[in-house]
Amino acid sequence: MNYPVIIRAESAHQYVAQPLGIPEVKVVAATEAEAIAQVTEALGHWLAAAKVIHVAVPGEEPGNPWLHAFGRSATDPDFLHLTPCGRTVLVDR
């Protein structure tokens, strides 16, 4: 598994590494390589003790927002004037 990690130099001999979205896992090391090794190990332990699940949230299904507007210009008499470059668009009616 690949996981994004932010590494930054706090000083010449201090590097901080932290996985994105998991503030509980943060390591400080003397070199960037040590910080990468330590955060890899710490993240592995953290993920081994955790579980990823999906939950269903009650409410309206979001659906596809583009389908809501699909076809709304089909009966618009000015629709052909709104097409790019004034090209005629063939529409089955």
Side-chain angles (χ1 to χ4, degrees), residues 9-30:
E10 296 256 318
S11 66
H13 298 291
Q14 186 178 31
Y15 290 83
V16 177
Q18 183 175 7
L20 286 177
I22 306 177
E24 301 89 347
V25 179
K26 181 177 180 180
V27 300
V28 179

Side-chain angles (χ1 to χ4, degrees), residues 4-75:
V5 173
I6 295 176
I7 299 178
R8 69 177 184 280
E10 296 256 318
S11 66
H13 298 291
Q14 186 178 31
Y15 290 83
V16 177
Q18 183 175 7
L20 286 177
I22 306 177
E24 301 89 347
V25 179
K26 181 177 180 180
V27 300
V28 179
T31 67
E32 185 176 314
E34 288 175 9
I36 292 170
Q38 289 178 20
V39 77
T40 300
E41 183 177 348
L43 183 58
H45 290 302
W46 192 88
L47 289 172
K51 180 163 68 168
V52 176
I53 63 168
H54 292 269
V55 296
V57 178
E60 187 176 319
E61 290 288 324
N64 185 335
W66 295 105
L67 289 179
H68 175 70
F70 182 77
R72 70 177 177 197
S73 299
T75 58

